[in-house]
Amino acid sequence: MVAKLAVFGVLAPIVGACASVTVYYQVGQHHLASSTISAALADYTGAAAYDPTVLIPPPTPNPPIPIRFELELRNGGTPGLSITQTGAFFGFSIEMSVVDQVLGRNSTVLQVPFLNLMANLAKRAGAVRIRVGGNTQEGAVLVDSTSSGRILEKDISGVSNPTQTPPLDYTRDLIYMMGNISHLVPVDWFLGIPFNDTEHFRLAVAEVGQQVLGRRLIGLQVGNEPDLYSRHGHRPSTYGPFDYFGEFGALVAAMSGEAHGANQHLLIGPNIATGDWTPEMVWNTGFVDSYSSNLAYLAVEHYPADNCFAQFGIGTPADPQELFASYLTHAAGRAIIEPYLNSTAFAQEKGKRLMMFETNTASCGGFPGISDSFGAALWALDYGMQMAHSNFSGALFHVGGQNVFYNPFTPPPTNQSTFRQWTIGPVYYSALVMAEALGPSNGARVLDLEANGGNENTPAYGIYEGGNPVRILLFNYITDSSGANDYTAMISIAAGDGTPRQVKIKRLLASSVSQKGNFTWAGQTFGSNFGSDGRLEGTEVIETVTCEAQCLIKVPAPGAALVFLTDGALAEVESGPTTTFPTTALTKTVNTATIDPAVLETSNGHTGMNAKGRLGSTSKGSVSGSKPARGRIRTGYAAAVILTYLLATTLVAGLF
């Protein structure tokens, strides 16, 4: 089905076969910005994705929180559990205009860090769900080729919307690229049918998507935020839910025929931003009953705030420091979900699944110091678990380009991609923890435990399988290095086998809710800006706590702790190594060839490269003529290395 091969599957063996020379990034590169600094830098003019602003954490609560409280769970018969949830609940929405930066250059040059990031999640959750779309899907046109030869071209002169959305031309190779990714990592995809011209629907994206992706295409979005069409000038001022209802029906009619036999049942609506309409306004049109056989999911989109004034000069100015505390409480996620509780119940009544199809910390790119802080990791994890508890069936956190603060992951700017790595944002850590909390069984059910008397600083969730608790997720939103606001949850389990003799714990940690980068999950990290190839670094730390009548679990301020109540619950997410895709070759780097010293010790050839027994240097800026190590480096081997290096760089340059 997939017509093209990923470059790493072909290139690595070829380079290795030449002479076992591996080409790496230049060692010792410096980051553009420090991971944390003492105060906001008002004069920063770089990309938003690396903004160095660090906010001041909220003060500790007064009066103080109770630092010891009981959590009594029971095996079987627990009321209030959610519907069953998939471990792939927490996925990503990638703006279509940046897929050639995030996923890969084309179907044969895939982004290895992206593959590693998805493999991390797939190991824990069984699969990953990704939407390619957003505002830019609405004006996207599938073409045979682009003038530049790339898979994607933007018409910057034709931007629209307050967010300056450019029309796109893209080729089939973009979808082949998605198919090649799914061939390597179990990624399921959502695509979007352009809805800016309902007189002449552009259905090629659905046709090619089905041909290439097959069962990995799990949904087709019909309209992106149609309740904002009128406000953004895309429809008349009278445009309302019944108009959307009619246009949806026109699409269903246009998709009749053999080419769309499967696609007719993959549609997703209404995808409203709950800006000018409420979900109930759409349900009241008879939308779900009329199109039930066509609807794979119901969906909404929501951001709790916006930073549009700072980014685009529209709306109301917002001060991130003033807003920071509003994200650091259990009430934050609950407030977002509350307007949708009627809709989650409605979806169950109609036998449908409701998704949060696009979300993040704030629209128009998020806020500096909030969206890229450890506080955002706790917020997104709590928000995600609250959605699962409230019977959503998935949530997709948005990924933009270099000009946003909230990215779960960001590739380096194109002109720096040869010597910098990726930046992993706090929301990706949230996805990693949630994948482990729900696990790959697809039978997890979630319960908000109303922990610590419902204290907003210390929420907790129980995760159940087969009616029994298997994991507990504990939060502490407070920043306090003194330890005075660390708390101890005293966990016990009634009925069945009762309280376990011991439990295992993984912790999500940082020194402060305002910290940027270098967070740790079970002792491992993705580092700071430009510091990751998508693989966790460091030794994994899984703590063991021995229990008696209760299991005493300490949660530091700030942090989160995932408690595995059974060995099986841990084994589900720890079984086997994570598949990784190491980068074996790059181009346009300096001093990129590395040689095993042990090989040099036994190499053949003459002693030196000149009469003085001295060698030239390939290091940029160094002085030629350093002495050889005991005459061990020989010209015969040096020639082989040079030949191999030239072959490798020539081969790679043709691909990159």
Side-chain angles (χ1 to χ4, degrees):
M1 181 176 297
V2 177
K4 304 192 178 184
L5 294 175
V7 66
F8 45 82
V10 178
L11 179 60
I14 293 175
V15 175
C18 294
S20 299
V21 174
T22 301
V23 185
Y24 293 99
Y25 282 110
Q26 170 71 5
V27 176
Q29 296 293 339
H30 297 288
H31 298 317
L32 278 182
S34 172
S35 60
T36 56
I37 56 176
S38 58
L41 297 183
D43 58 350
Y44 176 74
T45 57
Y50 318 108
D51 188 285
T53 301
V54 176
L55 302 177
I56 301 170
T60 57
N62 187 17
I65 64 167
I67 60 172
R68 291 178 71 86
F69 59 86
E70 293 185 344
L71 280 176
E72 183 175 334
L73 287 69
R74 61 177 296 108
N75 285 312
T78 301
L81 299 182
S82 73
I83 60 176
T84 55
Q85 300 290 7
T86 171
F89 186 99
F90 199 125
F92 305 103
S93 161
I94 300 177
E95 189 67 42
M96 194 172 187
S97 60
V98 301
V99 292
D100 57 342
Q101 302 169 38
V102 177
L103 303 184
R105 175 171 288 188
N106 53 50
S107 63
T108 59
V109 184
L110 306 181
Q111 285 279 22
V112 171
F114 177 80
L115 294 174
N116 287 333
L117 291 167
M118 297 306 104
N120 295 335
L121 295 170
K123 171 192 173 181
R124 293 158 169 84
V128 188
R129 296 189 295 194
I130 299 177
R131 168 227 193 180
V132 170
N135 284 332
T136 49
Q137 81 185 24
E138 299 285 57
V141 179
L142 180 62
V143 297
D144 292 333
S145 62
T146 61
S147 59
S148 65
R150 298 177 179 176
I151 64 171
L152 188 70
E153 280 187 350
K154 307 170 191 176
D155 179 8
I156 303 301
S157 65
V159 296
S160 62
N161 280 356
T163 55
Q164 301 177 9
T165 303
L168 301 178
D169 286 346
Y170 68 99
T171 70
R172 291 170 178 260
D173 206 43
L174 186 152
I175 299 176
Y176 281 120
M177 177 172 64
M178 295 162 59
N180 281 355
I181 289 170
S182 291
H183 183 71
L184 296 160
V185 183
V187 174
D188 294 321
W189 301 95
F190 299 102
L191 289 170
I193 297 173
F195 220 54
N196 62 338
D197 183 357
T198 55
E199 296 294 325
H200 308 91
F201 287 108
R202 296 192 299 279
L203 301 179
V205 64
E207 295 173 6
V208 178
Q210 185 59 234
Q211 293 166 9
V212 175
L213 302 176
R215 65 181 180 85
R216 291 296 183 186
L217 177 63
I218 60 173
L220 293 165
Q221 184 183 19
V222 180
N224 184 66
E225 300 177 342
D227 57 324
L228 301 182
Y229 282 172
S230 178
R231 187 192 300 185
H232 293 166
H234 303 317
R235 297 289 195 279
S237 60
T238 57
Y239 186 81
F242 277 98
D243 297 295
Y244 175 78
F245 175 95
E247 290 177 345
F248 193 101
L251 174 66
V252 170
M255 296 181 76
S256 62
E258 186 176 342
H260 293 286
N263 292 336
Q264 288 176 343
H265 308 291
L266 294 179
L267 305 184
I268 302 171
N271 316 303
I272 64 171
T274 319
D276 295 339
W277 308 346
T278 65
E280 288 80 4
M281 292 168 67
V282 181
W283 311 148
N284 290 340
T285 66
F287 174 78
V288 177
D289 289 334
S290 297
Y291 304 120
S292 180
S293 63
N294 307 110
L295 288 164
Y297 294 88
L298 305 179
V300 294
E301 303 181 11
H302 191 96
Y303 291 83
D306 75 77
N307 195 25
C308 297
F309 184 86
Q311 295 281 64
F312 304 107
I314 59 174
T316 304
D319 182 351
Q321 183 63 67
E322 292 182 0
L323 289 172
F324 196 21
S326 69
Y327 285 84
L328 303 174
T329 168
H330 188 42
R334 283 181 160 181
I336 299 171
I337 300 306
E338 196 278 332
Y340 300 108
L341 294 179
N342 180 53
S343 294
T344 59
F346 175 79
Q348 292 177 74
E349 176 189 330
K350 297 297 183 179
K352 298 297 178 184
R353 295 168 290 177
L354 179 68
M355 288 194 67
M356 182 64 74
F357 215 59
E358 181 180 324
T359 190
N360 214 308
T361 48
S363 59
C364 295
F367 293 109
I370 294 178
S371 303
D372 46 8
S373 71
F374 183 66
L378 296 178
W379 169 84
L381 182 57
D382 189 7
Y383 172 31
M385 292 297 291
Q386 189 64 211
M387 281 188 276
H389 162 73
S390 301
N391 297 321
F392 275 82
S393 290
L396 307 177
F397 283 74
H398 203 50
V399 181
Q402 300 286 322
N403 63 333
V404 303
F405 304 100
Y406 56 45
N407 279 341
F409 35 79
T410 309
T414 303
N415 63 352
Q416 298 174 22
S417 61
T418 57
F419 58 92
R420 298 196 188 280
Q421 299 194 79
W422 283 42
T423 300
I424 310 305
V427 170
Y428 180 80
Y429 285 84
S430 310
L432 200 64
V433 179
M434 191 161 180
E436 294 203 21
L438 297 180
S441 72
N442 293 332
R445 302 178 71 185
V446 180
L447 179 65
D448 186 337
L449 297 175
E450 305 285 351
N452 202 6
N455 190 286
E456 296 296 336
N457 294 290
T458 59
Y461 294 90
I463 298 92
Y464 294 72
E465 292 181 5
N468 298 329
V470 293
R471 303 177 192 92
I472 298 174
L473 183 57
L474 304 162
F475 292 78
N476 190 338
Y477 276 111
I478 302 167
T479 294
D480 183 1
S481 60
S482 73
N485 281 282
D486 296 354
Y487 72 78
T488 299
M490 300 178 288
I491 299 170
S492 61
I493 300 177
D497 295 330
T499 303
R501 294 183 178 181
Q502 67 176 28
V503 297
K504 303 293 177 63
I505 306 170
K506 291 188 177 185
R507 300 184 185 278
L508 179 65
L509 297 175
S511 62
S512 164
V513 291
S514 62
Q515 180 178 317
K516 291 193 173 189
N518 292 311
F519 320 132
T520 59
W521 169 238
Q524 297 180 301
T525 185
F526 295 101
S528 186
N529 287 353
F530 308 109
S532 178
D533 65 358
R535 294 179 287 183
L536 282 161
E537 298 292 332
T539 302
E540 186 177 41
V541 177
I542 303 175
E543 302 173 38
T544 300
V545 171
T546 301
C547 309
E548 295 182 2
Q550 296 174 316
C551 301
L552 306 183
I553 310 300
K554 187 174 182 179
V555 184
L562 181 59
V563 183
F564 298 86
L565 300 174
T566 68
D567 290 340
L570 178 62
E572 276 189 334
V573 298
E574 286 286 322
S575 57
T578 300
T579 301
T580 59
F581 303 88
T583 305
T584 56
L586 290 175
T587 187
K588 297 180 182 177
T589 55
V590 179
N591 191 23
T592 52
T594 63
I595 306 166
D596 185 348
V599 176
L600 292 178
E601 290 285 334
T602 57
S603 63
N604 297 321
H606 298 290
T607 299
M609 294 181 69
N610 59 32
K612 296 182 180 180
R614 296 176 181 270
L615 295 174
S617 172
T618 59
S619 298
K620 184 177 180 180
S622 66
V623 179
S624 298
S626 58
K627 291 185 178 180
R630 301 195 307 276
R632 300 288 187 179
I633 302 179
R634 318 290 178 142
T635 55
Y637 186 80
V641 168
I642 293 169
L643 178 61
T644 303
Y645 172 71
L646 291 174
L647 176 60
T649 53
T650 301
L651 173 64
V652 176
L655 293 170
F656 286 77

